[in-house]
Amino acid sequence: MKSLRKSIRDSRLRTNDAVTGWLKPRMGAIGTRCRLAARIRKANRWATRHPKRTFGYVVGTLLFILLGDVAVTGARLESREPNISTIAQVEPIFSGFRNIQAGKETQRRQLIDMTDKGRSLHRQLDSLIAIPRKSHSDSIEIIRRYRSLEQIVKSLKQHDNNEKD
């Protein structure tokens, strides 16, 4: 692990030396051409003789930059307000969702009604079967209600299988 750290550090130092070696002559040439060293010495002498003005200029400049940054940031926030037209396009999605929910509710109510009807038919069949002496119409009624109950059970089983898929 130490050798890896050492090789990374050496590589970083070589890169830094290469960049410094390439940049230093160019920056030195710019500094000489623009006489930056002489101007910096002159500015430092003036700042030493006028400390209050220097403080005022520095504070004023920093305050100007701060206010400019606040203004630019505020302008960006105003431009990022949501566009009402894009929100209006979401309405069809919500209406589709509402339609689906209404369809599910209708289906649920139909299942509950079908289950209640099946229970009622079951009770009626039990009472018809319990009659000791059945007439022809009682037998026909038992068969008719039994077939209705079979249809309800078949429909409920089919719905149950569809939900599992």
Side-chain angles (χ1 to χ4, degrees):
M1 196 62 158
K2 284 186 178 183
S3 63
L4 181 62
R5 283 187 197 153
K6 187 175 181 181
S7 64
I8 290 173
R9 185 178 63 224
D10 290 344
S11 174
R12 192 180 67 223
L13 288 174
R14 276 194 308 263
T15 305
N16 185 31
D17 290 343
V19 170
T20 304
W22 181 81
L23 210 61
K24 200 169 197 175
R26 286 161 181 74
M27 296 310 288
I30 291 172
T32 304
R33 192 173 349 140
C34 296
R35 298 185 309 242
L36 288 179
R39 290 177 191 217
I40 290 171
R41 279 193 303 274
K42 186 177 178 183
N44 284 339
R45 262 187 274 127
W46 183 88
T48 306
R49 280 188 253 131
H50 303 93
K52 290 182 181 177
R53 276 189 187 173
T54 303
F55 177 77
Y57 289 150
V58 169
V59 170
T61 303
L62 291 175
L63 188 62
F64 178 73
I65 291 171
L66 175 68
L67 293 176
D69 184 51
V70 168
V72 169
T73 304
R76 283 186 190 161
L77 289 178
E78 286 178 11
S79 67
R80 289 186 185 172
E81 287 183 12
N83 189 356
I84 300 301
S85 64
T86 58
I87 292 174
Q89 294 171 359
V90 176
E91 183 56 35
I93 295 170
F94 285 122
S95 82
F97 179 72
R98 287 186 204 107
N99 288 342
I100 291 170
Q101 291 300 92
K104 283 183 177 181
E105 183 63 28
T106 303
Q107 188 179 26
R108 190 181 66 78
R109 269 190 257 118
Q110 286 175 348
L111 283 172
I112 290 172
D113 291 345
M114 201 180 303
T115 306
D116 290 342
K117 186 177 178 184
R119 286 182 183 143
S120 172
L121 280 173
H122 189 267
R123 276 188 245 109
Q124 291 172 5
L125 266 174
D126 284 346
S127 65
L128 283 173
I129 291 172
I131 298 174
R133 291 186 177 237
K134 295 171 190 68
S135 65
H136 179 71
S137 63
D138 289 337
S139 297
I140 290 176
E141 195 61 30
I142 288 173
I143 292 171
R144 194 174 61 79
R145 290 188 183 172
Y146 182 76
R147 286 186 181 153
S148 296
L149 185 60
E150 271 184 333
Q151 290 297 321
I152 290 173
V153 169
K154 185 177 175 183
S155 177
L156 289 173
K157 280 185 180 179
Q158 185 179 11
H159 178 267
D160 208 25
N161 288 338
N162 288 343
E163 280 187 356
K164 287 179 185 176
D165 292 339

